[in-house]
Amino acid sequence: MDSRSALLLLVLLVSPFFTNASSRLYIVYMGEKKHDDPSVVTASHHDTLTSVLGSKDDAMKSIVYSYKHGFSGFAAMLTESQAEELARLPEVISVKPNTYHQAQTTRSWDFLGLKYYEQSGLLKKAKYGEDVIVGVIDSGIWPESRSFDDNGYSPVPARWKGKCQTGAAFNATTGCNRKIVGVRWYSGGIPDENLKGEYMSARDLGGHGTHVASTIVGGQVRNVSHRQGGKLAAGTARGGAPRARVAVYKVCWGVRAQCGGAAILAAIDDAMNDGVDMLSLSIGGAGEHYETLHAVARGIPVVFGGGNDGPTPQIVRNTVPWVITVAASTIDRTFPTVISLGNNEKFVTLASINITRKVVLCSPPSLMPPRLLLGDIIGRVIKAGADGLIFVQYSVSNALDFLNACSRASVPCVLVDYEITRRIESYMTSTSTPMVKVSPAMTVVGSGVLSPRIAAFSSRGPSSLFPGILKPDIAAPGVGILAAVGDSYELKSGTSMACPHVSAVVALLKMVHPDWSPAMIKSAIVTTASVIDRFGMPIQAEAVPRKVADPFDFGGGHIEPDKAIDPGLVYDIDPSHYTKFFNCTLLEAEDDYKSYMEQICQLNLQSIAVPKLKDSVTVWRTVTNVGEAEATYHAVLEAPVGMTMSVEPSVITFTRGGSRSVTFKVTFTTTQRVQGGYTFGSLAWLDGNTHSVRIPIAVRTIIQDFLYIVYMGEKKHDDPSVVTASHHDALTSVFGSKDEAMKSIVYSYKHGFSGFAAMLTESQADELAKLPGVVTVKPNTYHETHTTRSWDFLGLNYYEQSSLLKKASYGEDVIVARWMGKCQTGVAFNTTGCNRKIIGARWYSSGVPDESLKGDYMSPRDLNGHGTHTASTIAGKQVWNASHHRSGLAAGVAHGGAPRARLAVYKACWGTAGTCSTAAVLAAVDDAINDGVDVLSLSLGIGSDIPGTLHAVASGMTVVFAGGNAGPAPQTVENVVPWVITVAASTIDRSFPTVVSLGNKEKLVGQSLNYNATKNNSNYHMLVFGSSCDEESLATVNVTGKIVLCYAPLEAAATSSPNPAFGTAAIGIAKGGAKGLIFAHQRTNIFDDLENCNKILPAGCMMVDFEIAARIASYLNSTRKPVAKISRAVTVVGNGVLAPRIAAFSSRGPSIDFPGILKPDVAAPGVSILAAVGDTYKFMSGTSMACPHVSAVAALLKSVHPDWSPAMIKSAIITTGTYSRHITTSVTDCFGMPIQAEGVPRKVADPFDFGSGQIDPDKSVDPGLVYDIDPKEYTKFFNCTLGPKEDCESYVGQLYQLNLPSIAVPDLKDSITVWRTVTNVGGLEATYKASIEAPAGVNMSVEPSVITFTKGSSRSATFKVTFTAKQRVQGVYTFGSLTWVDGVTHSVRIPVVVRTIIHDFVLDTSHIKPDRATDPGLIYDIGPTTKLFICTLAAFDDYGAIVPAKPPVDYLARSKDSVTNIEAI
């Protein structure tokens, strides 16, 4: 057999190079076995190895595993030179080093609808999985567990050919039975440290394999609970296929469950020969398990966990197309726990066990996932001498597993969010003897729990190796799963726990449909999945922050077992198609494979992923009817945003006696011309009865062609058509096709001169430039009238006659009225510093640390440019020919939003870091009130409100604040008092695509600010892999003179921003003499650090996503002399860029101080904003840049409506965002789709991301209705926040009654009525009708639902909004809206957020006797010996601008009997 046509094996390298000459374990793959006799196959392995080692004895000793059943190959201890020699033998296909993989760690079956006694369900129809043999490749099994009792089982099926391999503490008599039909174990090639303390047998040390196996096939076991404690998750445990048999293959060893790649391969080989019906592998790791294709080709379905490295995108594991890859979701069970403080205040949290003795409150970095911190902190807290832990995190639903560390040490732990933490802190500071009592955890199950949700840890797509294959495939329960561990039962979480749920369903389907292929079973599962939760709302994905799930979170959706039994249609695949894919994955694949891999979307998968849509792509699919013989299906399309989608035929009919299969085509055509993110859609075939066959779709546009201008000098003909024909001829000589040439041309210049504009690759442009008739070929540049772009993007066109800008006379005479201020002079600032534009300036240095004043101007002159940038964004006049550092990037005309407004400057922030003294800011606010300012703009991240702003608002001054740059973690928004406008940051429709050219002529696109390179720069540099590019990684790499690829996706899992890793990498490789940097991250639109990088790396710096990085790494490993070149960045502006998006750094709600006030209020452009800095212009990003955009709009509104109060101006801005009525709580981007919020991963934005949405200035001038507030209401709020007062308790508890243009109800228990009053500022006669979008899990009504204004009657109307909970447990916030519509021009929309609470579940403690009040089992001291700890990884300066921070060296240390904070660094 030709080795090229065989099934080929590829196990990815852990690192690209190995220099150690000592022996190590290698896997030698030889393709399909050439003999049926295993002994003959093994003998051939000996002969092959003997030819290299020279001795048959040495060859036999060297071999660890011989693969002889399903395929041919072996694992052997070899030196690198021996491995290279073997690889050259003709019968050898590949030789790869062994890799190691990580195991990924009962309510769930009822939750999925597989009711044990349901007569009509899949479980009953499949006879509970009777006699299906499930192969579990994992960490072994604990055979004595009650889940594997074989009582009542028939003899082992005769087809079983496996064995029961004995070993330590495991014999054949008691270890195997009619349930556990066989076991094997594989210790060869496993490091000694992993085998230490292990059972040298199939017995399970850590419990992972036992948990997995019992989830699949475990029999019914009554009266179990978590660790048999009797309370948590108590009930009956069972597997999904409780009558199925299990065959166990132990390949994972030690407490960390390290799994050897060679051992896994041996297990798969044995399992195929033993006679398993399916394989379940809850195993992850860096490589792909290509060998599983042999199993699938034999009709054995294979199921894998997708990995636990989420929520970062592009890191899903096990992505080959023939396996089922599973994401993890939550179930409808939670464990609420009540904390009672000494002031009788009670909060609900999550806990692992009952709490006793002292506790420590610990708040780690907000952006770090709990799974990366909690285990370590628990150990440190215990070591430091504390007796308990209250752990603060943004997510408390996915980290319960890590609390087991507390349980094992008999130390109590609970999890709380930031809002609860702030209230505990407030209580602690209010008394000298703070006390706390934590009640036992409770188990709550049922429809009151919002589920399913995709777990935060669940790895996300797209696949960086194979972006044309959509992964994961499906989601299943994987959080808090109770199953057997040893002789007990425990809750565990992970895609390891999700994988066996799908495996069990596969086993049941295998029983019902024994003739179905693995592809048909997979299709049935994926196409019948659900994308909505139990309340009929889109399934959410836990992330930073939470988001609506998309196919990269859960593939086809959440598994629906009972529906999978009768899918109607299936997408089947001939295994030979997989084989070609498999062959093409080899690095040394031949040229004809490249085009195949680019068309991988044509595989007949039950999903469609098009990662490179340039113009139009047609994808073909074939469906097979497995339902009624006669049926008609109609196509229902949901096209991804930014493209059109069509299906042909759109109706398919099956008739009795006709073909059971139909082929159709799906065509995608892009409507955007630049590199975009993935957008999602679906195709469903409906028969109008019971079948809905839905497949998910993910499409991304690309921009490998750029628009170039080809100048050919004077035209040589007077006839324009002849000139145009010459352009076609010139371009045809490069393209080779006249049709392609004509399609490429965008403009033909034929009247005054000769030339054309065409879409070209860089190489095509280079070739054209060499033609004799061509004078120049230059990339297109964009000259925008308003180069800050943000104002044009917001619709404030400078010359638009009907716009707000024109109506407001460009902000003429608004002072950002009557000026009473002064121009305070100082160093390098005299009276010439003020003029008719800058009408006043003051500076405040008192109270500012000396180190911050050092080097600064003791005057209003701006040292670091931050104040100049914000001021010019608000009120800067038109300046022509501005660009980023005069580089040509974003070139054009700059101006502020209110270009004719006046400026009064108050310098309160000092030094390069921008240190702002609260006292100084308060003095500035005080002076501004007296000076006569109309609008006050504060781009400051202060942390708490400056109290003087209330006085400013009471005097009629609108105050605007930045929301902070601590996103995307929830509960981080700042400046949250109700009288100010708090602004989130968003992107604009401008990007800077940059091409990196590789030595194999491949051109890939990223982003940069690389403006030093020229188009004709031909300087390629050597390319080298730097891994994470930290100090340790770079120590072993020579980077001198090279471009370095920094690519470490798992390290990025903990960060939403490339900072500070990008800066560390740039500095590190620059010290090593590198020339350029290609930095991989899931987010590539953070440019602030790129500028500094370009200064120290002359070949340029750019950012690419993980998929592009994987392709660069693949090229790098395919050649001995990899080279690359980074081209000049190109400015792209317009509706081809998906915008706006909420910036990842933008701080998110809810407010931890005042959850009854919805913050932020609105979003505005804040990413890469071009404005004045010193004598030039530059980009800056932050909510600091978003704040002045809203300030400028407020100034314009003040000019048009001078009688409006600050509350009315705020209301007009908030209530006029564009929105889509058919999409819940969403405002729309330039494509009419919900605005996205950048995070880990990206999500659809909600009110905690952007308040009411993206600001729409022109609409705010005529809002129709406004929500006004008497400043006295603010005053009462302000007074009540100063300290406890008798008349304030009920008031503060009902802050949602403030007449704000939003509603936030943080504590809905049963029913709440909220009152609002609107004031008509539109036509005298008007009728408005209420349009309601109720939050999920809540009933919402408005009374009256129609309000009418008539001439001469009151201009105000009051209405009430009633919310009634439909869920009875602690829920998350859900979102809705209330819109008053007049049917003409006005749509007055306010956002609504509601959270249910569970006070009904608080334990009754009134029976406690007084003499037990000092019992340490009930009352806990949080006094002087137990401190509050706050460890910070990321920060922002006093401006609210992004500041990289170092990771903490340590969290806690012990000093005598106390636990103290070491350092926040």
Side-chain angles (χ1 to χ4, degrees):
M1 180 187 294
D2 178 22
S3 63
R4 284 291 177 189
S5 64
L7 297 178
L8 307 183
L9 169 67
L10 174 63
V11 178
L12 298 184
L13 301 181
V14 174
S15 58
F17 306 108
F18 298 101
T19 57
N20 190 342
S22 62
S23 294
R24 60 180 299 178
L25 190 62
Y26 283 82
I27 299 172
V28 181
Y29 180 63
M30 303 174 73
E32 286 288 351
K33 58 190 176 76
K34 297 178 174 60
H35 303 277
D36 291 330
D37 187 342
S39 63
V40 177
V41 179
T42 299
S44 70
H45 301 161
H46 296 163
D47 293 342
T48 298
L49 194 52
T50 299
S51 69
V52 172
L53 300 184
S55 162
K56 192 162 188 175
D57 284 345
D58 288 343
M60 294 178 71
K61 290 177 182 177
S62 174
I63 289 180
V64 177
Y65 299 110
S66 184
Y67 312 129
K68 53 191 177 290
H69 300 298
F71 51 92
S72 178
F74 56 89
M77 299 300 295
L78 305 169
T79 65
E80 187 174 9
S81 61
Q82 290 167 344
E84 290 174 351
E85 190 175 347
L86 264 174
R88 289 193 286 267
L89 296 180
E91 67 269 29
V92 172
I93 293 176
S94 67
V95 180
K96 302 293 181 183
N98 183 39
T99 56
Y100 295 93
H101 306 269
Q102 192 78 32
Q104 306 155 1
T105 272
T106 37
R107 176 58 191 166
S108 53
W109 292 115
D110 280 352
F111 177 64
L112 291 178
L114 279 184
K115 305 280 176 60
Y116 197 84
Y117 299 105
E118 179 67 50
Q119 296 301 307
S120 61
L122 170 61
L123 198 57
K124 187 73 172 179
K125 291 178 181 177
K127 300 178 181 177
Y128 301 90
E130 186 79 41
D131 288 344
V132 174
I133 300 174
V134 178
V136 176
I137 300 177
D138 211 287
S139 64
I141 196 163
W142 195 269
E144 294 82 9
S145 172
R146 290 177 289 167
S147 290
F148 308 118
D149 187 342
D150 68 347
N151 185 41
Y153 277 72
S154 60
V156 175
R159 68 183 187 280
W160 176 247
K161 298 189 297 183
K163 69 175 183 178
C164 188
Q165 184 179 356
T166 60
F170 200 107
N171 61 55
T173 304
T174 59
C176 295
N177 56 23
R178 286 172 291 181
K179 180 76 169 178
I180 305 172
V181 297
V183 301
R184 296 178 186 265
W185 49 283
Y186 308 82
S187 60
I190 304 296
D192 290 341
E193 59 268 24
N194 293 110
L195 296 177
K196 189 175 181 180
E198 255 280 12
Y199 298 102
M200 297 305 292
S201 71
R203 184 169 291 278
D204 185 9
L205 175 67
H208 189 275
T210 303
H211 197 283
V212 167
S214 65
T215 302
I216 303 174
V217 305
Q220 276 197 313
V221 181
R222 302 182 185 280
N223 302 318
V224 301
S225 62
H226 178 57
R227 297 196 171 180
Q228 299 303 92
K231 292 184 179 180
L232 284 185
T236 300
R238 63 175 169 91
R243 296 290 293 176
R245 322 284 181 132
V246 64
V248 175
Y249 301 85
K250 180 175 177 177
V251 299
C252 303
W253 298 81
V255 292
R256 294 185 61 197
Q258 292 290 318
C259 318
I264 296 170
L265 195 56
I268 292 171
D269 184 45
D270 282 336
M272 284 189 284
N273 188 63
D274 289 345
V276 301
D277 294 306
M278 64 155 301
L279 282 172
S280 182
L281 296 93
S282 289
I283 292 171
E288 293 290 333
H289 298 276
Y290 296 87
E291 64 278 7
T292 53
L293 176 53
H294 295 277
V296 171
R298 291 194 176 193
I300 302 172
V302 180
V303 186
F304 272 99
N308 299 332
D309 298 308
T312 303
Q314 297 184 305
I315 54 176
V316 63
R317 303 300 183 193
N318 305 312
T319 60
V320 288
W322 50 85
V323 305
I324 304 176
T325 307
V326 187
S329 62
T330 64
I331 60 175
D332 60 342
R333 180 172 60 200
T334 188
F335 305 102
T337 302
V338 174
I339 296 177
S340 301
L341 303 182
N343 62 355
N344 293 324
E345 195 167 6
K346 299 177 181 180
F347 309 113
V348 178
T349 67
L350 294 179
S352 62
I353 58 173
N354 295 342
I355 303 300
T356 60
R357 301 185 181 177
K358 299 178 182 178
V359 294
V360 57
L361 180 66
C362 185
S363 179
S366 62
L367 292 181
M368 298 289 280
R371 62 182 175 82
L372 299 182
L373 294 174
L374 183 51
D376 182 58
I377 288 182
I378 286 172
R380 292 173 182 267
V381 167
I382 293 171
K383 186 177 179 181
D387 293 320
L389 171 67
I390 298 177
F391 184 81
V392 185
Q393 255 298 335
Y394 62 85
S395 174
V396 300
S397 62
N398 296 151
L400 290 178
D401 279 12
F402 296 93
L403 294 181
N404 286 332
C406 293
S407 301
R408 286 190 289 270
S410 298
V411 174
C413 303
V414 294
L415 302 180
V416 297
D417 66 11
Y418 291 112
E419 178 191 331
I420 301 300
T421 302
R422 181 56 63 92
R423 293 165 71 179
I424 294 174
E425 290 175 7
S426 176
Y427 161 67
M428 290 175 66
T429 58
S430 70
T431 176
S432 59
T433 56
M435 311 292 279
V436 64
K437 174 175 114 38
V438 184
S439 301
M442 297 166 287
T443 302
V444 175
V445 175
S447 62
V449 182
L450 284 173
S451 57
R453 297 198 298 265
I454 305 304
F457 59 73
S458 188
S459 290
R460 311 299 167 91
S463 165
S464 59
L465 291 176
F466 312 120
I469 299 169
L470 201 159
K471 291 285 179 169
D473 294 300
I474 193 75
V479 176
I481 304 303
L482 187 72
V485 173
D487 291 322
S488 183
Y489 289 79
E490 288 188 10
L491 295 166
K492 285 184 178 291
S493 299
T495 54
S496 284
M497 283 63 247
C499 171
H501 282 85
V502 176
S503 300
V505 175
V506 169
L508 297 174
L509 291 175
K510 190 80 171 173
M511 185 70 185
V512 178
H513 300 291
D515 57 330
W516 279 12
S517 68
M520 295 170 77
I521 290 175
K522 178 180 178 181
S523 176
I525 289 172
V526 173
T527 60
T528 57
S530 174
V531 296
I532 58 174
D533 65 18
R534 299 159 67 86
F535 290 95
M537 298 296 292
I539 290 174
Q540 301 282 309
E542 296 284 359
V544 190
R546 182 178 297 115
K547 62 186 280 288
V548 173
D550 60 52
F552 290 150
D553 301 314
F554 63 4
H558 199 259
I559 192 169
E560 291 270 3
D562 276 343
K563 289 184 179 179
I565 195 174
D566 179 22
L569 306 175
V570 293
Y571 294 75
D572 197 10
I573 299 182
D574 186 327
S576 65
H577 295 165
Y578 290 141
T579 303
K580 188 170 185 181
F581 166 87
F582 189 53
N583 291 342
C584 292
T585 59
L586 282 185
L587 295 177
E588 59 268 28
E590 295 178 6
D591 291 341
D592 62 332
Y593 290 141
K594 182 176 181 182
S595 61
Y596 177 83
M597 290 302 290
E598 289 177 351
Q599 294 291 316
I600 200 67
C601 58
Q602 302 297 354
L603 261 179
N604 198 45
L605 296 168
Q606 67 302 312
S607 59
I608 297 175
V610 181
K612 296 192 300 182
L613 178 62
K614 180 179 172 183
D615 293 304
S616 183
V617 167
T618 297
V619 178
W620 296 85
R621 288 291 187 271
T622 298
V623 288
T624 300
N625 182 13
V626 293
E628 295 293 330
E630 295 188 347
T632 298
Y633 287 83
H634 294 261
V636 176
L637 309 182
E638 182 186 355
V641 63
M643 65 203 64
T644 60
M645 172 182 165
S646 64
V647 174
E648 193 177 331
S650 59
V651 178
I652 55 179
T653 300
F654 299 93
T655 59
R656 193 178 303 275
S659 174
R660 304 298 288 166
S661 297
V662 171
T663 297
F664 59 90
K665 64 179 181 180
V666 187
T667 301
F668 301 94
T669 304
T670 182
T671 57
Q672 57 191 53
R673 293 299 309 161
V674 299
Q675 190 89 355
Y678 279 95
T679 56
F680 307 103
S682 66
L683 165 61
W685 291 103
L686 277 64
D687 67 356
N689 297 316
T690 59
H691 299 116
S692 177
V693 190
R694 180 186 180 277
I695 64 172
I697 293 172
V699 183
R700 180 181 60 184
T701 58
I702 60 167
I703 55 168
Q704 288 185 341
D705 284 4
F706 291 94
L707 187 61
Y708 283 83
I709 298 172
V710 181
Y711 177 60
M712 304 176 74
E714 287 290 337
K715 59 189 177 71
K716 296 180 173 56
H717 302 277
D718 291 331
D719 185 343
S721 64
V722 176
V723 179
T724 299
S726 70
H727 301 163
H728 295 165
D729 293 341
L731 198 51
T732 298
S733 68
V734 172
F735 275 58
S737 163
K738 191 163 187 175
D739 284 345
E740 291 298 319
M742 294 177 71
K743 289 178 182 177
S744 174
I745 290 180
V746 178
Y747 299 110
S748 185
Y749 311 127
K750 52 190 179 287
H751 300 296
F753 56 93
S754 177
F756 56 89
M759 300 300 296
L760 306 170
T761 65
E762 190 173 10
S763 60
Q764 290 167 343
D766 291 341
E767 192 174 345
L768 262 175
K770 297 171 186 174
L771 296 180
V774 173
V775 179
T776 61
V777 179
K778 294 182 178 180
N780 184 41
T781 56
Y782 297 85
H783 303 282
E784 291 299 315
T785 307
H786 311 99
T787 197
T788 51
R789 181 56 193 171
S790 52
W791 292 115
D792 272 355
F793 179 61
L794 292 177
L796 279 184
N797 297 312
Y798 200 86
Y799 300 105
E800 179 65 50
Q801 295 302 305
S802 61
S803 70
L804 169 61
L805 198 59
K806 189 75 173 178
K807 291 177 180 177
S809 302
Y810 302 92
E812 185 79 46
D813 288 342
V814 175
I815 304 170
V816 181
R818 314 298 56 90
W819 181 243
M820 299 170 58
K822 68 175 184 178
C823 186
Q824 185 179 357
T825 60
V827 175
F829 196 104
N830 55 38
T831 52
T832 61
C834 296
N835 53 28
R836 285 174 291 180
K837 181 72 171 179
I838 305 172
I839 60 175
R842 299 176 185 265
W843 50 282
Y844 307 82
S845 60
S846 299
V848 178
D850 290 341
E851 59 268 24
S852 298
L853 296 175
K854 190 175 181 180
D856 205 332
Y857 299 100
M858 298 303 290
S859 73
R861 184 168 291 276
D862 184 10
L863 175 66
N864 68 7
H866 189 278
T868 303
H869 196 283
T870 57
S872 63
T873 301
I874 301 172
K877 71 170 191 176
Q878 282 192 310
V879 178
W880 295 82
N881 300 319
S883 66
H884 176 63
H885 281 311
R886 302 186 178 93
S887 65
L889 280 182
V893 181
H895 75 80
R900 299 288 293 174
R902 321 282 181 141
L903 281 170
V905 177
Y906 300 84
K907 180 175 177 179
C909 303
W910 298 81
T912 55
T915 302
C916 314
S917 163
T918 302
V921 174
L922 189 58
V925 172
D926 185 45
D927 281 338
I929 295 171
N930 186 64
D931 289 346
V933 167
D934 295 310
V935 176
L936 196 59
S937 182
L938 297 96
S939 287
L940 310 177
I942 300 171
S944 59
D945 174 65
I946 300 300
T949 56
L950 173 55
H951 298 278
V953 170
S955 69
M957 186 188 305
T958 300
V959 180
V960 186
F961 266 103
N965 297 331
Q971 300 180 306
T972 54
V973 65
E974 305 217 335
N975 306 313
V976 296
V977 289
W979 50 84
V980 305
I981 304 176
T982 307
V983 187
S986 61
T987 64
I988 60 174
D989 60 343
R990 179 172 60 199
S991 65
F992 304 98
T994 303
V995 171
V996 55
S997 305
L998 305 181
N1000 61 357
K1001 297 185 180 180
E1002 188 172 13
K1003 298 180 186 295
L1004 303 171
V1005 178
Q1007 297 257 339
S1008 81
L1009 293 181
N1010 186 28
Y1011 51 81
N1012 293 321
T1014 64
K1015 180 186 74 67
N1016 295 317
N1017 179 18
S1018 60
N1019 293 328
Y1020 279 83
H1021 298 274
M1022 291 295 293
L1023 179 66
V1024 66
F1025 182 63
S1027 187
S1028 61
C1029 289
D1030 56 11
E1031 186 176 353
E1032 182 179 355
S1033 300
L1034 295 176
T1036 59
V1037 180
N1038 178 13
V1039 301
T1040 303
K1042 300 173 183 175
I1043 293 175
V1044 183
L1045 172 64
C1046 299
Y1047 175 40
L1050 293 185
E1051 279 82 347
T1055 64
S1056 61
S1057 169
N1059 303 322
F1062 179 85
T1064 301
I1067 294 170
I1069 67 171
K1071 286 180 179 178
K1075 290 289 187 180
L1077 169 63
I1078 302 173
F1079 190 87
H1081 199 270
Q1082 70 264 22
R1083 294 184 55 245
T1084 61
N1085 62 346
I1086 294 295
F1087 301 122
D1088 290 31
D1089 274 359
L1090 280 170
E1091 182 180 344
N1092 293 328
C1093 182
N1094 287 327
K1095 292 178 182 177
I1096 59 177
L1097 295 171
C1101 305
M1102 67 182 297
M1103 291 185 178
V1104 297
D1105 67 13
F1106 294 146
E1107 179 195 328
I1108 299 299
R1111 292 167 67 182
I1112 297 172
S1114 176
Y1115 159 70
L1116 192 151
N1117 287 327
S1118 70
T1119 177
R1120 293 186 176 183
K1121 293 184 178 180
V1123 294
K1125 177 181 71 171
I1126 300 173
S1127 299
R1128 195 180 195 278
V1130 178
T1131 305
V1132 174
V1133 175
N1135 64 7
V1137 181
L1138 287 173
R1141 292 176 179 164
I1142 304 305
F1145 60 74
S1146 188
S1147 290
R1148 312 296 166 93
S1151 164
I1152 56 178
D1153 292 304
F1154 311 117
I1157 299 171
L1158 199 162
K1159 292 284 180 170
D1161 294 300
V1162 73
V1167 176
S1168 299
I1169 302 302
L1170 188 72
V1173 173
D1175 292 324
T1176 187
Y1177 289 77
K1178 67 176 287 188
F1179 296 127
M1180 284 190 176
S1181 297
T1183 53
S1184 285
M1185 284 65 247
C1187 172
H1189 283 85
V1190 176
S1191 300
V1193 174
L1196 296 175
L1197 291 175
K1198 189 75 173 178
S1199 181
V1200 177
H1201 301 291
D1203 56 330
W1204 277 11
S1205 70
M1208 296 170 76
I1209 290 175
K1210 176 179 177 178
S1211 176
I1213 289 172
I1214 288 176
T1215 61
T1216 54
T1218 302
Y1219 72 100
S1220 175
R1221 296 183 194 173
H1222 65 280
I1223 300 174
T1224 303
T1225 71
S1226 298
V1227 298
T1228 57
D1229 63 16
C1230 57
F1231 290 96
M1233 292 297 288
I1235 290 173
Q1236 301 282 308
E1238 298 282 2
V1240 189
R1242 184 179 295 126
K1243 61 183 281 284
V1244 173
D1246 61 51
F1248 289 148
D1249 301 314
F1250 62 4
S1252 64
Q1254 176 85 349
I1255 191 171
D1256 194 334
D1258 275 344
K1259 288 187 176 180
S1260 63
V1261 72
D1262 179 22
L1265 305 175
V1266 294
Y1267 294 76
D1268 198 9
I1269 299 182
D1270 187 331
K1272 293 178 181 177
E1273 293 298 315
Y1274 289 143
T1275 303
K1276 187 173 183 181
F1277 168 90
F1278 184 64
N1279 290 337
C1280 287
T1281 61
L1282 296 178
K1285 295 182 177 64
E1286 290 183 2
D1287 61 340
C1288 283
E1289 183 175 353
S1290 61
Y1291 178 83
V1292 172
Q1294 295 190 11
L1295 290 179
Y1296 44 76
Q1297 300 296 1
L1298 267 174
N1299 198 45
L1300 296 167
S1302 60
I1303 298 175
V1305 181
D1307 54 0
L1308 177 62
K1309 178 182 174 185
D1310 294 305
S1311 184
I1312 284 176
T1313 296
V1314 177
W1315 296 85
R1316 287 292 186 273
T1317 298
V1318 288
T1319 300
N1320 182 15
V1321 293
L1324 294 179
E1325 295 189 346
T1327 297
Y1328 287 83
K1329 295 180 180 180
S1331 175
I1332 298 172
E1333 291 175 312
V1338 176
N1339 288 322
M1340 175 179 167
S1341 64
V1342 175
E1343 192 178 333
S1345 60
V1346 177
I1347 52 179
T1348 300
F1349 299 95
T1350 57
K1351 190 174 297 186
S1353 65
S1354 173
R1355 305 297 289 165
S1356 296
T1358 298
F1359 59 91
K1360 65 180 181 179
V1361 187
T1362 301
F1363 301 95
T1364 304
K1366 294 192 294 186
Q1367 56 194 48
R1368 297 299 307 153
V1369 298
Q1370 187 86 355
V1372 296
Y1373 281 98
T1374 57
F1375 309 103
S1377 66
L1378 167 61
T1379 308
W1380 290 103
V1381 183
D1382 68 357
V1384 185
T1385 59
H1386 299 116
S1387 180
V1388 189
R1389 177 183 180 273
I1390 64 172
V1392 174
V1393 301
V1394 179
R1395 180 180 61 184
T1396 58
I1397 60 170
I1398 57 171
H1399 284 175
D1400 281 351
F1401 288 93
V1402 175
L1403 295 187
D1404 181 9
T1405 56
S1406 61
H1407 64 279
I1408 297 176
K1409 297 179 180 179
D1411 61 355
R1412 296 188 61 194
T1414 57
D1415 183 346
L1418 294 172
I1419 305 295
Y1420 314 109
D1421 175 24
I1422 336 181
T1425 60
T1426 308
K1427 308 280 187 185
L1428 169 67
F1429 305 98
I1430 303 176
C1431 311
T1432 305
L1433 272 183
F1436 51 91
D1437 64 19
D1438 286 333
Y1439 291 122
I1442 303 167
V1443 176
K1446 300 176 182 178
V1449 177
D1450 204 346
Y1451 298 117
L1452 308 168
R1454 188 174 184 181
S1455 176
K1456 296 183 180 178
D1457 293 327
S1458 65
V1459 183
T1460 57
N1461 192 25
I1462 294 293
E1463 191 175 11
I1465 52 177

